[in-house]
Amino acid sequence: KQDKSNSEKTLFQLIAQRILKLTQIAANNNDKDTKTKHEEIHIPLYIMTSPMNHEITKQYFETNQYFGLNPDDVYFFSQGVLPCLSLSSGKILMETKFKCAMAPDGNGGIYNAMS
């Protein structure tokens, strides 16, 4: 079976492949006298999602068998959301007549999301 070129792979797949390679290198270089089993090396992958894509991101990993990673080493966490504001007026934007438009709170929200 021909492997996809990197340009045809998702970022998640490329990151998983890199972690698998690092795990293999760590297992082979852990101790000169004793080879560590690949399964004994754990490099966690933390994936920050938004409430809008959290479930579909988890499903994507499940569908692709976590790209060979141990599912116990993959952690999904969702960032918070904040109301959307108009750049010109600073007013809160509305998604519907009775619901504020919300957007992920960005990289700054990582601290609250991980707590």
Side-chain angles (χ1 to χ4, degrees):
K1 180 179 172 183
Q2 181 121 12
D3 197 21
K4 292 180 182 179
S5 72
N6 282 347
S7 64
E8 296 174 315
K9 296 176 183 176
T10 66
L11 183 58
F12 289 137
Q13 185 176 3
L14 292 170
I15 291 169
Q17 286 177 335
R18 175 166 265 182
I19 290 172
L20 289 170
K21 183 67 175 174
L22 289 170
T23 302
Q24 183 181 43
I25 291 168
N28 291 335
N29 292 321
N30 190 37
D31 187 326
K32 292 182 181 182
D33 296 325
T34 307
K35 296 287 184 188
T36 302
K37 291 182 182 175
H38 180 264
E39 296 82 23
E40 294 176 7
I41 304 293
H42 297 278
I43 300 175
L45 173 60
Y46 291 86
I47 300 172
M48 185 168 74
T49 63
S50 73
M52 295 82 164
N53 67 20
H54 186 79
E55 288 305 316
I56 196 165
T57 303
K58 286 174 61 176
Q59 289 173 2
Y60 181 70
F61 271 80
E62 290 167 6
T63 299
N64 289 282
Q65 292 83 42
Y66 290 81
F67 302 101
L69 297 174
N70 181 339
D72 293 335
D73 292 336
V74 181
Y75 302 90
F76 300 92
F77 63 99
S78 186
Q79 63 187 325
V81 293
L82 295 171
C84 297
L85 303 176
S86 164
L87 290 176
S88 59
S89 68
K91 292 183 180 181
I92 294 175
L93 299 175
M94 302 300 289
E95 186 174 325
T96 67
K97 186 175 180 179
F98 300 105
K99 183 178 179 185
C100 293
M102 304 294 279
D105 60 5
N107 290 338
I110 192 169
Y111 305 107
N112 284 335
M114 291 189 74
S115 63

